[in-house]
Amino acid sequence: MSDRIGTEITVPRVADALGELFADAGFELHLVGGPVRDAILRRGSDDLDFATSAHPDQTLALLNQHGSTTWTTGRAFGTIGAMFHGHRVEVTTYRADSYDGVTRNPAVVYGDNLTEDLRRRDFTINAMAVSVPGHEFSDPFDGIGDLVRRIIRTPGTPELSFGDDPLRMMRAARFASQLRFDVDGPVKQAMTDMAGDLGRITAERIRDEFVKLMAGADPVIGLRLLVDTGLADQFLPELPALRMAIDEHAQHKDVYEHTLTVVRNAIELEESGPDVLLRIAALLHDIGKPATKGFGPAGRVTFHHHELVGARMARKRLKALRFPKDDIAELTELIALHLRFYGYGRGEWTDSAVRRYVTDAGPYLPRLHKLVRSDCTTRNKRKAARLSADYDALEERIERIAAEEDLAKVRPDLDGNEIMRLLNLPPGRHVGQAWKHLKELRLEHGPLSREEAEAELFAWARANGLTPPDGPTPESGE
C-alpha cells in the first residue's frame, strides 16, 4: 500500500507537535487505530491514540517535561494519558502481549516495532498507522482494502484475536453497527464457536460495549449478529428468547422482528443524535411476552401483563450489567407504562386518567411518547393511522390540561408542613397518608381551592380516627 495515503490523511496539528517532541528525543510516534480509520472514512474523531517506541517511564518524563497534565491509570499496560496542548491523548508503548487464556489480563511484553504492535490489534481497519510528524502510512494487514470492501476482519486468525480478548467479539458487532459493515465469514464463525468465552469478561466492560453498539448508526445490524452467533445468550438472553414460534393460525406477530422494527422506529423519532436509553427501552419493551404467553377465546394468543413482567425482568438484567440506578429506573418505568395508552382510543380516559399518565411518567414522558409511537408496527394502514391520530389527540389533551394545571408540578394542594400545622400532627406516617390522600384528590379532580383542600383534609382526619382542630367540612362549604 502506497505511503502517499499518509499524506492524504488530515493529521491534527497537535499530533504533529507531539510527534516532533518524541522525534527530538529519539523515539518513534504513530497515530494509530480509530483516528486513522475515521480520517480515511472522512469521519470526525475526538480520539488521539498513539503508539511509540518509548517505554512508559520515558513517555511520562517527556510529557511532564513539557508541562502536560498526565495520568498513569493505564501504566501497567504501557499507556500514559495526558492533556497535551489542550487535547486529550493516550500514548502506548509498542506491545507484544500474551494472555493466560482464562482472564482478560495480559502479561504485558513491550515490543520493538510497529508491525507487531499492529498485529495484536482487534481488526484490520484499526491496524493502520500514520507516523508523526513524517506522515508515513503503515497498513501491513490491508485495513484500507477492508474499508473499501466494507468488511470486518482480524489481522491474524480470529481465534487467536478473540482468545486474547473475548470482548472483541462484541466489538465486531459494534463496528458492524457503527459502520454498517459486514463481518468476515471466518470471524463470524469464530464468534459463534467462542461465544461462551464472553463469560471471562466483566459485566461493566460488556455493558460499555453494548451501549456503544446501541449508539451506532444501525444497531439492528449488530443486534442480529449478537443473536445469530449466540453472543446475546451470554449477557442478554431475553433478546433471543423473543424468537417465539408463531402458532399455526399466525395469531401473534414475530415478537423478535417486531422488536427490531420498534428499535428502528425509535431511531427515526430521535431529534438530536442517538438516544441510547430510548433505543434500549425499545429493545426491551416486550421481553415479558415469552413468560406471559397464553391463549384466550378461540385460541387467540395473549400476553397479559407482559409490560409489568417485562419491567421486572429488565430491572434484573440491567442490574446484572451494572447500569446506573437512574437509567434502570427510567428504563423499567418506560417498559411498565408503554401499554397504558392503548385504552385511550376507546374514549375511556377521563382528565383524571390523563393526569395519572403524565404524573406516573414524570420526567420520562417525552421518551414515553416516542416509545409508544415506535411500538406501532402494524401493516394495516387504517389501524396505524387510527393509532397515530389517537396519540396525537392524547398529546394535545395533555398540553391543554398541562397549560391549565401545570401538570409537570402535580402536588397536593397542601404540603406536609401545612398538613402538620392544620392537624396539629408531628412528622410521621399520618402526615404521609394525608399527603397521599390529597394528591389522589388532585389527580382525580384537578386543583382544589384552599378552602376545599382544608375541608377535605379535615374530613380525611375524622374518617381515620384523628381529631383535627375545628375546621370546615366538605358539606358545610364554609
Side-chain angles (χ1 to χ4, degrees):
M1 191 59 59
S2 172
D3 292 346
R4 286 188 60 255
I5 292 180
T7 65
E8 298 170 1
I9 295 174
T10 301
V11 176
R13 289 183 179 180
V14 65
D16 281 337
L18 188 63
E20 290 170 359
L21 175 67
F22 276 72
D24 289 345
F27 300 115
E28 298 176 4
L29 189 72
H30 299 262
L31 188 66
V32 294
V36 178
R37 178 199 69 227
D38 290 340
I40 294 171
L41 293 173
R42 300 295 189 266
R43 291 160 48 99
S45 176
D46 294 328
D47 295 330
L48 286 176
D49 296 329
F50 298 88
T52 182
S53 59
H55 280 209
D57 289 345
Q58 295 167 320
T59 296
L60 183 62
L62 270 176
L63 291 168
N64 284 335
Q65 179 183 342
H66 287 78
S68 299
T69 300
T70 58
W71 53 91
T72 58
T73 50
R75 186 172 185 167
F77 303 105
T79 301
I80 302 297
M83 288 299 297
F84 181 78
H85 291 192
H87 294 265
R88 183 185 177 99
V89 303
E90 288 195 343
V91 182
T92 303
T93 302
Y94 293 157
R95 295 260 293 275
D97 295 339
S98 61
Y99 294 76
D100 61 15
V102 177
T103 70
R104 167 64 185 100
N105 299 323
V108 177
V109 178
Y110 297 134
D112 56 10
N113 69 87
L114 177 65
T115 298
E116 286 306 308
D117 180 85
L118 296 177
R119 187 188 302 277
R120 57 164 289 276
R121 295 180 179 267
D122 52 5
F123 305 110
T124 59
I125 59 174
N126 296 329
M128 298 178 286
V130 176
S131 67
V132 284
H135 296 188
E136 179 181 348
F137 180 66
S138 298
D139 183 17
F141 305 103
D142 195 23
I144 199 165
D146 287 340
L147 285 179
V148 172
R149 291 185 288 270
R150 301 178 63 84
I151 197 162
I152 295 169
R153 191 170 57 85
T154 55
T157 67
E159 290 80 7
L160 180 61
S161 179
F162 298 155
D164 283 352
D165 183 1
L167 191 67
R168 289 174 173 175
M169 295 185 285
M170 283 192 66
R171 201 170 293 144
R174 188 242 294 183
F175 283 120
S177 164
Q178 288 180 336
L179 303 174
R180 292 191 171 101
F181 279 19
D182 292 325
V183 174
D184 192 38
V187 173
K188 188 180 296 184
Q189 186 60 54
M191 292 167 67
T192 304
D193 295 342
M194 301 175 68
D197 287 4
L198 197 63
R200 291 161 43 193
I201 305 301
T202 64
E204 291 83 358
R205 293 186 71 217
I206 291 174
R207 175 204 62 212
D208 290 347
E209 200 62 47
F210 172 64
V211 167
K212 290 176 183 177
L213 183 155
M214 291 302 296
D218 189 354
V220 170
I221 293 174
L223 292 168
R224 287 192 186 280
L225 188 59
L226 292 176
V227 171
D228 292 346
T229 58
L231 283 164
D233 289 298
Q234 306 302 315
F235 75 98
L236 191 63
E238 294 81 5
L239 178 58
L242 294 176
R243 296 178 298 179
M244 296 183 292
I246 299 178
D247 63 284
E248 64 274 18
H249 303 295
Q251 295 280 5
H252 71 83
K253 300 176 184 177
D254 182 328
V255 182
Y256 174 66
E257 291 298 332
H258 163 75
T259 294
L260 298 182
T261 300
V262 174
V263 172
R264 282 196 166 130
N265 288 348
I267 292 171
E268 292 180 2
L269 295 178
E270 293 173 344
E271 298 169 2
S272 57
D275 185 342
V276 174
L277 284 185
L278 175 62
R279 296 179 181 195
I280 294 176
L283 182 67
L284 302 182
H285 80 286
D286 272 350
I287 60 171
K289 279 191 170 179
T292 58
K293 183 179 178 181
F295 296 91
R300 187 172 185 83
V301 177
T302 63
F303 302 102
H304 293 312
H305 305 301
H306 76 266
E307 73 281 13
L308 302 179
V309 172
R312 290 195 295 270
M313 293 171 62
R315 181 180 299 278
K316 181 177 179 181
R317 180 57 55 195
L318 294 167
K319 286 179 67 176
L321 287 171
R322 305 290 194 270
F323 270 77
K325 290 182 180 179
D326 289 348
D327 290 353
I328 295 174
E330 178 162 359
L331 289 167
T332 53
E333 195 67 17
L334 290 171
I335 294 167
L337 291 173
H338 84 273
L339 272 191
R340 188 181 294 184
F341 154 74
Y342 287 93
Y344 183 79
R346 297 193 294 268
E348 300 170 354
W349 281 34
T350 62
D351 282 356
S352 170
V354 175
R355 292 188 196 98
R356 291 180 187 277
Y357 186 71
V358 174
T359 302
D360 288 347
Y364 315 143
L365 185 63
R367 280 199 178 104
L368 181 60
H369 285 330
K370 294 175 183 177
L371 177 60
V372 174
R373 289 185 181 277
S374 301
D375 196 23
C376 178
T377 62
T378 179
R379 295 181 181 179
N380 184 321
K381 293 184 178 180
R382 182 178 298 178
K383 181 179 179 181
R386 187 182 73 247
L387 288 170
S388 179
D390 286 346
Y391 209 84
D392 287 343
L394 174 59
E395 289 201 60
E396 291 171 3
R397 191 170 174 188
I398 289 172
E399 289 180 8
R400 174 181 60 79
I401 298 175
E404 295 171 356
E405 304 178 13
D406 195 6
L407 284 181
K409 298 179 180 178
V410 170
R411 296 288 186 274
D413 296 281
L414 301 173
D415 65 21
N417 289 328
E418 291 173 305
I419 290 170
M420 288 189 288
R421 180 180 61 81
L422 289 167
L423 297 184
N424 195 25
L425 288 174
R429 63 184 181 88
H430 290 307
V431 178
Q433 291 168 349
W435 188 93
K436 185 176 181 181
H437 171 72
L438 291 176
K439 182 176 180 180
E440 289 295 317
L441 289 174
R442 174 76 167 76
L443 289 170
E444 188 67 32
H445 302 293
L448 302 176
S449 69
R450 175 74 185 199
E451 292 76 13
E452 289 172 330
E454 289 187 7
E456 292 289 355
L457 176 63
F458 292 136
W460 174 87
R462 282 187 286 270
N464 284 273
L466 301 176
T467 306
D470 291 338
T473 65
E475 295 80 8
S476 70
E478 297 176 2

